Amino acid sequence: MSAASCLRSEDQFLCSICLYVFTDPVTTSCGHNFCKNCINEHWNSNDKYLCPICKEVFSTRPKLKVNTFISEMVSQFRQEAQQKASSSSSEQQVAKPEVPCDVCTGTKLKALKSCLVCLISYCETHLEPHLTVSGLKRHQLMDPVENLEDRMCMKHDKPLELFCKTDQTCVCVHCTYSDHKTHEFVPLKEEYEGKKAELGKTEAEIQQMIQKRRLKIQEIKHSVDFSKEDADREKAEGVQVFTALKESVERSLNELIEMIEEKQRTTEKQAEDFIKELEQEISELMKRSSEVKQLSRSEDHLHLLQNFPSLKAAPSTKDWTAVSVHPPSYEGTVVRTVTQLEETLSKEMKKLFEVELKRVQQYAVDVTLDPDTAHPKLILSDDEKQVNHRNVKKNLPDNPERFSKCCCVLGKQSFSSSRFYFEVQVKGKTKWDLGVVRESINRKRKITLSPEDGYWTIWLRNGNEYKGLAGPDVRLSLKSQPQKVGVFVDYEKGLVSFYDVDAAALIYSFTGCSFTEKLYPYFGPCSNNGGKNSAPLIICPVSQTS
């Protein structure tokens, strides 16, 4: 039997004495049903044994038997009634407060419901009449709450049943005839549903905000991880490069010291040989000197004359007049060593820049020129990859995107995150500007190329004067004239770098930039200068540096 059918026929389960649903139902011989305790107490308090319903009098006290069928039906009815009461509460239950039953005496059981009409909270046992008695069933039940008097109008002592939309407050029926007479009212349930829907939207918005912040946390963590990867890679490359440089410096220093010491050893060896030879001649001369002295003291005429010819002539010796030891010249030795070291460092730097260039080339994007931004004196190729200047001004619509005063053009593609790279051929030109710009630059007046005005650019003037237009400008000293320039941007890091692609060398970098808008590639071919600067700027496909 369904709950609905049980509740529709609930009157048949009520004891006519206590008006509650049967407890231990029994049947009299006349066929009427009562609670066992109720009928026994009724007969105990009366002189006659009669049926409370049909008034039939029994000569002796009837023997009562439990009506098993009614007991089973009552048990099912109780269960389904309680399920119905439970299902009427909100699907998303919050923790119910521990509200005591107002009817219980002694130890108070936990209230299951509060009645807004009775202003009393009931436990499961004492709630039963509100689930079964027709009159009480019309009362408004709710989850148990304390201080039910707070739900009464303090002025009229009536339940707060309406909501004043004008004053945004809960009122009773009598308030509609007094203080809120001209106001707009709706039932509490209607306003409750509306506010509940608003809370649902609020909850959805809060969940969305939470989700966005969780995503932001993931983004930040990803940025930290990405930064750590970059840092680890840069440290590893730095250690590798500087270890090689250190070894190169130590090797050059050792070679320099070895060369100087070898020269000194050669000089000392030469001096030792000369001294040894001189000492040998001195020894021989001293021997001859002794012989000459001894002969000169002889008084034997014949002996002196016989030995005189052999002692008169000086012993055979070397002519030392032109002999000398010349200290080696160390002039320029350190300079030459440092020069060689510089060449080694240059090779290592070139390798380093080649690695860096390869890395940024991985972020190559396809860039095309935007004709809607081109100055009327600029000519774009059909594939929108080349631009140069001519003296004839085309009749073009002066749309907001177009440059009106300066001969430049932007790329079609915009970038507001991550990294990007593109290459431009500048071969044959004597004058050009290159870089990136923010979206909001003024295109209708003479422009100033500086980061403050939204331009991160470099330029060439007079064929060999290069500058980083950082405001103030920075003069660039380049070993060779770039034929192809690579432009790299890291939006998050605020970095704009320019490379000489063929030389694999860094030209200039803007660092610590703060980008908040879309960035566009910027191209300035400048005037053709009577044909001297007629070569176009050409956006080239990017190929990995060998």
Side-chain angles (χ1 to χ4, degrees):
M1 183 179 295
S2 67
S5 61
C6 283
L7 294 176
R8 282 196 298 270
S9 58
E10 63 185 340
D11 289 344
Q12 63 182 307
F13 303 124
L14 298 182
C15 173
S16 59
I17 298 175
C18 66
L19 299 179
Y20 289 164
V21 175
F22 292 123
T23 301
D24 296 329
V26 293
T27 305
T28 62
S29 58
C30 59
H32 294 116
N33 300 301
F34 305 93
C35 295
K36 184 177 182 180
N37 287 338
C38 291
I39 191 62
N40 282 328
E41 288 180 2
H42 176 71
W43 286 341
N44 290 338
S45 59
N46 290 280
D47 296 332
K48 297 180 180 179
Y49 304 117
L50 56 83
C51 174
I53 296 176
C54 66
K55 308 301 181 182
E56 180 178 352
V57 178
F58 305 105
S59 57
T60 58
R61 186 165 182 160
K63 292 183 179 181
L64 299 174
K65 295 183 179 180
V66 174
N67 190 325
T68 56
F69 176 76
I70 295 295
S71 293
E72 291 175 0
M73 295 297 292
V74 167
S75 176
Q76 184 177 357
F77 168 75
R78 289 179 185 272
Q79 182 179 0
E80 291 173 346
Q82 290 175 359
Q83 288 176 352
K84 183 175 183 297
S86 299
S87 64
S88 65
S89 61
S90 173
E91 291 183 0
Q92 294 183 343
Q93 293 290 332
V94 296
K96 297 180 180 179
E98 291 287 341
V99 178
C101 175
D102 293 327
V103 181
C104 288
T105 58
T107 302
K108 291 184 177 291
L109 300 178
K110 178 182 176 181
L112 184 65
K113 294 288 180 180
S114 293
C115 177
L116 293 179
V117 178
C118 303
L119 295 181
I120 294 176
S121 296
Y122 298 99
C123 65
E124 182 177 0
T125 300
H126 293 115
L127 177 66
E128 188 172 312
H130 281 75
L131 302 177
T132 57
V133 178
S134 299
L136 296 179
K137 282 173 56 182
R138 291 192 291 271
H139 289 191
Q140 185 177 353
L141 298 178
M142 62 177 297
D143 288 337
V145 294
E146 295 177 333
N147 303 321
L148 284 168
E149 60 273 11
D150 292 344
R151 297 175 178 271
M152 301 291 289
C153 176
M154 297 180 65
K155 186 173 183 180
H156 302 108
D157 197 29
K158 295 294 181 182
L160 298 173
E161 300 177 297
L162 300 173
F163 184 79
C164 176
K165 297 181 74 67
T166 306
D167 290 342
Q168 292 291 299
T169 185
C170 298
V171 297
C172 71
V173 175
H174 286 216
C175 291
T176 63
Y177 303 105
S178 55
D179 298 344
H180 301 265
K181 185 174 183 181
T182 60
H183 295 178
E184 180 184 358
F185 305 95
V186 294
L188 285 182
K189 184 177 181 180
E190 181 179 332
E191 187 65 21
Y192 162 82
E193 295 295 339
K195 290 293 191 288
K196 187 176 181 180
E198 289 182 20
L199 288 175
K201 292 180 180 179
T202 302
E203 171 64 13
E205 291 173 357
I206 292 173
Q207 290 299 326
Q208 189 175 18
M209 292 171 67
I210 292 172
Q211 184 63 19
K212 286 182 178 179
R213 279 150 182 79
R214 285 175 175 166
L215 291 174
K216 179 58 69 174
I217 289 174
Q218 293 178 1
E219 178 186 330
I220 292 172
K221 288 182 177 179
H222 178 72
S223 297
V224 171
D225 293 340
F226 193 76
S227 175
K228 187 177 185 303
E229 290 176 4
D230 277 354
D232 291 342
R233 183 181 62 250
E234 290 296 325
K235 284 193 294 185
E237 290 181 359
V239 169
Q240 182 179 358
V241 170
F242 279 92
T243 299
L245 294 178
K246 180 182 177 182
E247 291 174 352
S248 180
V249 170
E250 290 177 348
R251 185 168 56 252
S252 297
L253 176 60
N254 291 335
E255 290 174 355
L256 173 64
I257 293 173
E258 178 61 29
M259 181 183 63
I260 294 173
E261 290 179 347
E262 179 61 29
K263 285 186 177 182
Q264 180 62 21
R265 285 195 295 269
T266 301
T267 301
E268 290 176 354
K269 180 66 169 61
Q270 185 185 37
E272 288 175 0
D273 292 342
F274 286 158
I275 291 171
K276 185 176 180 181
E277 190 175 352
L278 285 168
E279 287 178 343
Q280 186 175 355
E281 289 188 357
I282 290 171
S283 177
E284 292 177 357
L285 289 172
M286 289 179 68
K287 180 180 178 182
R288 179 61 62 88
S289 174
S290 176
E291 291 175 349
V292 170
K293 285 181 180 179
Q294 183 178 1
L295 184 60
S296 66
R297 294 193 192 104
S298 175
E299 294 180 356
D300 185 343
H301 300 155
L302 179 61
H303 175 73
L304 186 148
L305 293 174
Q306 287 177 338
N307 289 284
F308 176 78
S310 61
L311 295 178
K312 178 185 178 186
S316 177
T317 58
K318 185 176 180 178
D319 184 3
W320 292 93
T321 305
V323 176
S324 63
V325 175
H326 299 284
S329 174
Y330 299 107
E331 189 69 29
T333 302
V334 175
V335 174
R336 285 192 297 273
T337 302
V338 172
T339 302
Q340 292 174 357
L341 181 60
E342 184 179 8
E343 292 176 357
T344 302
L345 292 177
S346 296
K347 291 178 181 178
E348 292 297 326
M349 287 294 291
K350 182 174 174 56
K351 291 179 182 178
L352 183 62
F353 282 127
E354 285 176 351
V355 171
E356 182 178 342
L357 186 57
K358 283 182 181 179
R359 186 161 64 240
V360 300
Q361 285 176 330
Q362 296 175 359
Y363 301 98
V365 294
D366 183 23
V367 174
T368 54
L369 302 170
D370 186 357
D372 290 338
T373 66
H375 186 274
K377 288 188 177 182
L378 295 183
I379 304 298
L380 275 60
S381 62
D382 292 339
D383 64 357
E384 298 177 344
K385 293 288 187 178
Q386 302 184 30
V387 58
N388 57 8
H389 172 270
R390 73 174 182 179
N391 292 324
V392 179
K393 187 174 183 179
K394 292 181 290 185
N395 185 18
L396 296 174
D398 188 21
N399 49 285
E401 297 84 9
R402 191 178 306 284
F403 288 93
S404 301
K405 298 294 183 182
C406 296
C407 294
C408 48
V409 61
L410 300 184
K412 282 184 179 179
Q413 294 73 23
S414 65
F415 305 90
S416 57
S417 65
S418 193
R419 304 168 180 176
F420 63 94
Y421 173 85
F422 60 94
E423 293 179 353
V424 182
Q425 180 178 303
V426 297
K427 183 178 180 180
K429 297 191 67 61
T430 60
K431 187 177 181 181
W432 50 259
D433 312 327
L434 277 179
V436 293
V437 300
R438 67 185 177 213
E439 185 177 28
S440 63
I441 55 172
N442 192 312
R443 311 179 191 200
K444 301 302 179 183
R445 67 184 182 190
K446 188 174 181 180
I447 61 178
T448 301
L449 298 179
S450 71
E452 184 178 357
D453 293 296
Y455 296 80
W456 291 268
T457 59
I458 61 172
W459 77 11
L460 167 66
R461 294 294 184 269
N462 303 321
N464 59 2
E465 295 179 7
Y466 296 90
K467 286 185 179 180
L469 306 179
D473 300 341
V474 178
R475 184 177 294 274
L476 306 176
S477 179
L478 307 182
K479 292 183 178 180
S480 60
Q481 290 192 323
Q483 303 297 301
K484 188 187 296 183
V485 176
V487 183
F488 172 69
V489 176
D490 189 323
Y491 195 96
E492 279 74 23
K493 288 185 178 179
L495 172 69
V496 182
S497 294
F498 299 85
Y499 295 89
D500 182 340
V501 176
D502 297 325
L506 179 67
I507 298 174
Y508 185 73
S509 285
F510 293 89
T511 58
C513 309
S514 179
F515 301 131
T516 57
E517 301 179 22
K518 292 179 180 178
L519 296 181
Y520 288 85
Y522 168 86
F523 308 87
C526 301
S527 63
N528 60 28
N529 195 20
K532 295 179 181 179
N533 189 40
S534 60
L537 289 176
I538 304 175
I539 302 173
C540 306
V542 176
S543 57
Q544 289 287 316
T545 303
S546 58

